[in-house]
Amino acid sequence: MNAAAWSKDEVVEADREYVIHSWSKQGGLNSRAIAGAQGSWFWDYDGNKFLDFQSQLVNSNLGHQHPKLVAAIQEQAGKLCYIGPNFAEESRARLAQKLAEITPGDLKMSFFTTGGAAANENALRLARHVTGRSKVVARYRSYHGATAGAISVTGDPRRWQAEPGISGVVRMLDPYSYRYPDRGEGSAVYEGGPHLEEILQYEDPYSVAAVILEPVTGTNGLIYPGENYLRSIREVCDKYGIILIFDEVMAGFGRTGELFACNHWGVVPDILITAKGLNSGYVPLGAMTVSAKISDWLQNNKFWGGLTYAGHPLACASALASLQIMEEEDIVANSKRQGERLGAGLAELAKRHESIGDIRGRGLFYGLELVRNRETREPLVPFNAVGEAAAPMQRIVKAGMQKGLYLSANFNVMRLTPPLVIKDDEIDFALEVLDDVLTLADEEVTP
């Protein structure tokens, strides 16, 4: 028998008293209680509806409560809810086979986790085991998860409280040419490989196990690389026998208008990390998919990793359903088409709002960088802004919510990442609200 549903006040009170919320001071939090969701929308107990223009944590790619995805979970629950990862089980075997078919190049075997952080954690460990080396090169503007190893290779300020973290992490700069014009086309940083090779000469390239990066930087600014960047990084890794790890937790499964972001540049990693869009977040799931060469290595060498919930049947069944839905509903094509609509609309907004400094995006993975002055490119709020310094961006996000548009911002960059099932009229609604709330940013523009 189901317990009686709680009222909004009961939900909010229990949440405030007993739930620890991510990356937040718990005192003073007043989280909105959500009553339901469908498609690209969710709503609260008072009936206020919100267009989910960030797909929650950029994971609800197929929107909320997709009936086929829900049905697949229900069907698997009726068949087998759980069996240990030491057994062969249909949903996980089929999912691993499917990933081998659709991932780029010779990527073959997969280890399933409960999310992207755990997948990155195991990738770092595996790279060290395969190479017998200890160091890992990562980028400053990056986020790879909150577990010990993943937060250590993360570059953004959330890692600071976790330091010193794991040993052997070396960092490289990002091809963030808008914010730092000296890193533009032709520079070592923009080209990637020359910058990496310089770092390696100081670190001993034969001590480096892996290079880990997001092909398209997610949370930390939606930064897209130059045309030759990933290929150049790949060549340097091959030169020194370094394992290349692509973290496509955010960018994978159609988010950029390609099934995988690295497909834009035709570059294949040794290890591909996915999560989020793999099953739209309906059940916790991540995957580490490795090359044929590493797969062969694993035949005769022990994999020192494991999770109680590795390859959970409910999660794997939901991912299989998700991938089938993506094919049946041509989700990647919709991401590309709606991304073109969004991009064109943002370009029009830039003509009316002096606060828009840069627009970066492909598919439905867009960043809107807001500035106080287009000439100097002074950011609307400083890097790692908190308190009153962060207030201008917070006001914009709050105003959007009041008008029915759920937005997200990281420092001075607004992330625009709606569900990949979004429709024309929903894109248009979002652009209308953005047009309105960006007037608040324009008020901060200085001569």
Side-chain angles (χ1 to χ4, degrees), residues 317-335:
S318 66
L320 281 167
S322 179
L323 295 174
Q324 183 175 350
I325 291 165
M326 290 187 70
E327 292 174 0
E328 291 175 350
E329 300 184 9
D330 210 3
I331 296 298
V332 177
N334 191 64
S335 173

Side-chain angles (χ1 to χ4, degrees), residues 362-442:
R362 293 187 185 185
L364 290 170
F365 205 39
Y366 267 84
L368 198 63
E369 181 148 1
L370 303 184
V371 296
R372 292 180 179 272
N373 185 294
R374 280 182 174 174
E375 294 299 318
T376 66
R377 301 184 182 183
E378 178 188 354
L380 185 66
V381 302
F383 178 77
N384 200 32
V386 294
E388 187 56 33
M393 291 299 288
Q394 292 172 348
R395 283 195 290 270
I396 294 167
V397 171
K398 182 178 180 181
M401 198 72 169
Q402 290 171 341
K403 296 178 181 296
L405 184 66
Y406 182 43
L407 296 168
S408 176
N410 186 52
F411 310 141
N412 72 312
V413 179
M414 186 168 293
R415 187 177 69 225
L416 307 176
T417 55
L420 307 189
V421 295
I422 199 163
K423 301 172 183 176
D424 291 4
D425 61 331
E426 294 169 336
I427 291 285
D428 294 344
F429 169 76
L431 289 167
E432 289 175 8
V433 175
L434 284 169
D435 194 13
D436 193 357
V437 302
L438 284 171
T439 59
L440 297 173
D442 293 339

Side-chain angles (χ1 to χ4, degrees), residues 245-271:
I245 304 170
F246 282 171
D247 177 345
E248 292 220 14
V249 169
M250 271 195 185
F253 295 102
R255 176 55 61 183
T256 66
E258 286 278 351
L259 190 57
F260 299 100
C262 62
N263 290 353
H264 286 290
W265 300 280
V267 180
V268 181
D270 300 297
I271 301 177

